[in-house]
Amino acid sequence: MRKKKNLAPRMEACGMYLIKDPFSMRGRWRELMPAARELRVELGCGKGGFTVGTAEVEPDVLLIAVEKVPDAMVVAMEKARDAGVHNVWFVDGDAALLPDMFAEGEIDRLYINFCDPWPKSNQKKRRLTHGNFLKKYRQVLAEGGAIHFKTDNDKLFEWSLEEIPQFGFRLSEVTRDLHADGAVGVMTDYERKFFSEGKSINRCVATMVDWTEPENDTALSQRISE
């Protein structure tokens, strides 16, 4: 991501969409939109194509987009401003801090779209579908809450299909070619590009179910530490 010219004034011009202190909002996010049907969080919104598109087609849903690269987030904020949507806010933050920003059971749905695959074996802990992150998601998801996961990286997807169920999530809607019969749903900026190139997109939904972390499961403990 190239550094944006005049980043500070551009961010300020979209300040109405930015939550400057997300930690103070813990347990209070619905105050932004009391009539919201659901509270959803997108991890790594990038330039905001999916964020704003979803906000437009589901105006009764409260969307919080988390992005740790300000040069990308400012573009997303400008898209939201230009589209005139009023149900999305942005946070300059990290997925690892979700439990500090959101209260237990506060989130109905998490979107993880085209995250960094961190392909090396010693980078597993950085993958947003790694067990350490999944346990954090469990802390903030509502009962029956779900993760909607999309990626163009086949290896990450197959690895995630093995990892996710081990931490109390039931998989459904698993597909390795989401747009095989034509465009489906709101696309991210990356996804639109991939679709035009004929590249297949992997997608699944992971719904949280009752689960107790094993206390003496050596295999699971070893997997998490890897």
Side-chain angles (χ1 to χ4, degrees):
M1 175 62 64
R2 295 179 179 177
K3 294 293 183 182
K4 300 298 181 186
K5 293 182 179 180
N6 305 315
L7 177 61
R10 288 174 65 181
M11 291 283 282
E12 186 176 350
C14 300
M16 73 288 288
Y17 289 100
L18 178 65
I19 301 298
K20 295 182 179 179
D21 184 8
F23 304 104
S24 69
M25 293 297 295
R26 190 175 188 273
R28 300 176 46 238
W29 288 97
R30 287 183 181 269
E31 294 177 12
L32 295 171
M33 190 179 169
R37 174 169 56 86
E38 289 184 347
L39 168 59
R40 301 179 189 173
V41 174
E42 182 183 5
L43 299 180
C45 70
K47 295 181 180 180
F50 178 84
T51 312
V52 176
T54 301
E56 289 179 311
V57 299
E58 298 193 72
D60 59 342
V61 167
L62 169 58
L63 287 162
I64 307 299
V66 179
E67 175 57 59
K68 61 182 180 180
V69 181
D71 296 277
M73 188 169 68
V74 71
V75 177
M77 291 167 62
E78 289 171 342
K79 284 181 180 177
R81 178 198 60 196
D82 295 344
V85 294
H86 301 288
N87 58 326
V88 59
W89 280 266
F90 295 84
V91 170
D92 180 356
D94 192 286
L97 299 177
L98 276 186
D100 298 313
M101 293 187 284
F102 295 89
E104 181 179 350
E106 194 167 15
I107 299 173
D108 296 293
R109 181 182 299 181
L110 278 172
Y111 291 112
I112 303 176
N113 294 321
F114 302 92
C115 58
D116 193 324
W118 297 106
K120 297 181 180 179
S121 59
N122 63 352
Q123 297 176 325
K124 290 179 181 179
K125 286 186 177 180
R126 298 189 179 190
R127 298 171 187 168
L128 292 184
T129 51
H130 185 275
N132 286 342
F133 281 105
L134 293 167
K135 290 195 292 183
K136 290 181 183 294
Y137 305 154
R138 291 191 61 87
Q139 293 179 49
V140 297
L141 279 170
E143 183 177 353
I147 301 167
H148 286 224
F149 175 50
K150 286 196 287 189
T151 179
D152 63 305
N153 189 288
D154 297 339
K155 290 184 178 180
L156 173 63
F157 190 66
E158 297 303 326
W159 182 87
S160 298
L161 291 182
E162 293 185 8
E163 184 83 351
I164 292 172
Q166 297 186 62
F167 294 87
F169 290 89
R170 182 182 67 249
L171 294 175
S172 63
E173 301 181 40
V174 178
T175 176
R176 293 168 177 79
D177 195 356
L178 176 61
H179 307 299
D181 298 319
V184 176
V186 179
M187 295 189 191
T188 72
D189 297 293
Y190 280 122
E191 189 175 4
R192 195 174 296 106
K193 176 177 179 292
F194 295 149
F195 177 69
S196 67
E197 296 172 349
K199 187 174 180 60
S200 60
I201 302 299
N202 305 287
R203 179 183 181 272
C204 70
V205 173
T207 303
M208 190 171 73
V209 296
D210 289 339
W211 179 73
T212 301
E213 183 176 355
E215 294 183 3
N216 300 306
D217 192 324
T218 303
L220 182 58
S221 299
Q222 176 63 32
R223 188 175 183 85
I224 294 175
S225 65
E226 289 178 350

